Amino acid sequence: MTEMEVKDNSFLRQFETQVDGHLAKIEYSSQERKVFLTKLVIPEEITQEGFKESFIKEVLHQIQERNLRVVPTSPHIAGFLRKNRQYKEMLPVGIRI
């Protein structure tokens, strides 16, 4: 899989990337030093193996670079964090998934 360019569209409050003319996005809201990842939208036309995991990893990397905490309210993203415990330190104190 090639390098993915993920953009933080703060006006629409979503991380987004284009794949073959299709927009994949993770919607979010932010409060204090936390980013609530609320919805994962991947068009059915994007069928690349491992795309969803790579997209979520890149978004988490960008959040981590800003030294923010992440609260996954989307079931897909919460499931990803459950399987990838290395991101556990990004959760706020008291949040378990």
Side-chain angles (χ1 to χ4, degrees):
M1 186 162 188
T2 60
E3 187 70 22
M4 178 182 312
E5 183 181 336
V6 175
K7 184 177 113 184
D8 178 5
N9 184 334
S10 57
F11 180 72
L12 294 176
R13 291 192 321 253
Q14 63 190 25
F15 291 97
E16 54 191 33
T17 188
Q18 291 273 345
V19 178
D20 299 327
H22 300 286
L23 182 70
K25 62 186 178 180
I26 294 178
E27 297 174 3
Y28 69 87
S29 63
S30 53
Q31 180 183 27
E32 297 169 4
R33 305 236 356 112
K34 297 184 208 83
V35 178
F36 295 79
L37 301 177
T38 57
K39 187 175 182 183
L40 172 66
V41 180
I42 298 176
E44 58 187 37
E45 292 86 1
I46 300 176
T47 57
Q48 296 171 347
E49 183 73 30
F51 172 79
K52 178 170 79 169
E53 290 77 16
S54 297
F55 184 36
I56 294 171
K57 282 180 185 177
E58 181 56 34
V59 168
L60 290 173
H61 178 71
Q62 288 188 24
I63 293 169
Q64 197 170 36
E65 282 184 336
R66 298 179 198 165
N67 213 14
L68 300 173
R69 298 290 180 188
V70 65
V71 181
T73 59
S74 160
H76 297 290
I77 298 169
F80 175 84
L81 286 171
R82 229 176 266 115
K83 290 178 193 162
N84 297 275
R85 303 306 285 173
Q86 69 266 29
Y87 296 106
K88 185 178 177 183
E89 73 275 357
M90 291 182 69
L91 296 171
V93 173
I95 300 290
R96 287 196 190 151
I97 55 164

